[in-house]
């Protein structure tokens, strides 16, 4: 008889055009000291040999499930994995990255012993094969909602699915927005609303590969910028409702104002003035910006933006960038 025991952990790997890195990624998961998992490989219509590589792995290890689907993007691939996941916990690994052998063992043992923790945040190493920097965590629980908000929205990579291990129930009714490039940031506030306690772990390392051609290193299209504005706006609206957390609101306020400027410089024939004006509806005075923890240069940029207006600031940026 087959063992019908459900796995404790479901690991979902979305796959598209990563033939060069896929075996290293999958092997780093299969070589874990922790073994109570199912590995869901989602071949998102990859035109290379990724699908074949997935099938070969599945023949060798019964913990592996393979989904072959028409290309729909990262969100679509993750959602397909979530639909069939049987574990009590979820983990997402990007297929061009890999993990240390101890990534799951201590972290899963901690979650088993601390069932009140909804989400665990692991350590990351920005990996390029040469200069590799590990961002070391100071281990601790956070169970105050506004402190969870502050932590998760103040550090960019925390919102990325690949650095976290989640209780599966968080995704019972939650899915990644298909068609979005910055899907992690977009659903981050939804995740924050569903969790009561997080743990920052100093065990295991996620190796995030810096490489040309990845989604995050490509030149942003106009649609990318609109996606960024949509994500910023959603996070800003969320923070604006929380009156006792001005620090995080200010950080989002800054991002919302500077992003249209950078977009305008990248696409000089496109006017993003209306986006700036929309963000101006969030009232915040300069003295509050100046007293906040954002860099003083950034505060000055925002003050000049309000003083001179969008068009003058764009002209000033263009002038300064000539020299």
């Amino acid at each position: 008889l087959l063992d019908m025991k459900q796995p404790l952990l479901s690991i979902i790997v979305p796959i598209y055009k990563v033939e060069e890195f896929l075996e290293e990624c999958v092997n780093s998961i299969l070589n874990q000291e922790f073994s109570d998992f199912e590995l869901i490989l989602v071949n998102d219509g990859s035109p290379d040999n990724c699908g074949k590589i997935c099938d070969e792995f599945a023949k060798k290890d019964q913990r592996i499930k393979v989904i072959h689907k028409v290309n729909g993007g990262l969100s679509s691939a993750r959602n397909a994995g979530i639909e069939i996941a049987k574990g009590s916990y979820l983990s997402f690994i990007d297929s061009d990255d890999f993990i240390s052998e101890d990534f799951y063992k201590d972290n899963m043992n901690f979650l088993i012993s601390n069932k009140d923790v909804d989400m665990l945040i692991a350590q990351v190493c920005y990996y390029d094969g040469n200069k590799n920097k590990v961002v070391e965590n100071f281990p601790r629980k956070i169970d105050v909602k506004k402190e969870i908000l502050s932590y998760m929205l103040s550090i960019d990579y925390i919102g990325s699915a690949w650095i976290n291990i989640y209780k599966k129930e968080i995704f019972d009714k939650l899915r990644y927005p298909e068609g979005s490039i910055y899907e992690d940031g977009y659903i981050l506030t939804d995740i924050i609303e569903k969790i009561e306690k997080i743990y920052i772990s100093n065990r295991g390392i996620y190796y995030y590969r810096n490489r040309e051609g990845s989604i995050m290193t490509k030149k942003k299209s106009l649609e990318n910028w609109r996606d960024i504005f949509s994500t910023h706006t959603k996070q800003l609206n969320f923070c604006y409702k929380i009156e006792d957390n001005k620090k995080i609101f200010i950080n989002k306020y800054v991002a919302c104002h500077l992003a249209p400027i950078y977009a305008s410089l990248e696409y000089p024939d496109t006017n993003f003035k209306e986006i700036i004006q929309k963000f101006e509806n969030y009232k915040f005075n300069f003295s509050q910006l100046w007293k906040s923890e954002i860099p003083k240069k950034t505060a000055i940029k925002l003050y000049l933006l309000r003083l001179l207006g969008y068009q003058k600031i764009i002209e000033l940026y263009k002038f300064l960038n000539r020299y």
Side-chain angles (χ1 to χ4, degrees), residues 189-235:
T189 54
D190 300 307
I191 290 173
I192 291 172
E193 287 189 308
K194 292 177 180 292
I195 60 180
E196 297 297 331
K197 186 174 293 187
I198 63 175
Y199 179 69
I200 295 100
S201 171
N202 66 340
R203 308 307 295 266
I205 300 172
Y206 184 102
Y207 290 91
Y208 178 88
R209 194 186 302 272
N210 292 313
R211 65 182 183 94
E212 292 185 12
S214 67
I215 290 174
M216 300 312 294
T217 58
K218 288 181 179 178
K219 183 178 184 288
K220 295 179 180 64
S221 67
L222 283 174
E223 284 303 312
N224 289 164
W225 279 115
R226 292 190 181 98
D227 204 13
I228 289 172
F229 301 147
S230 176
T231 298
H232 280 331
T233 302
K234 186 179 179 187
Q235 292 187 0

Side-chain angles (χ1 to χ4, degrees), residues 13 22 45 56 215 222 257 278 305 312:
V13 181
L22 184 55
E56 289 299 317
I215 290 174
L222 283 174
H257 279 74
K278 182 168 68 173
L305 177 62
K312 291 289 186 183

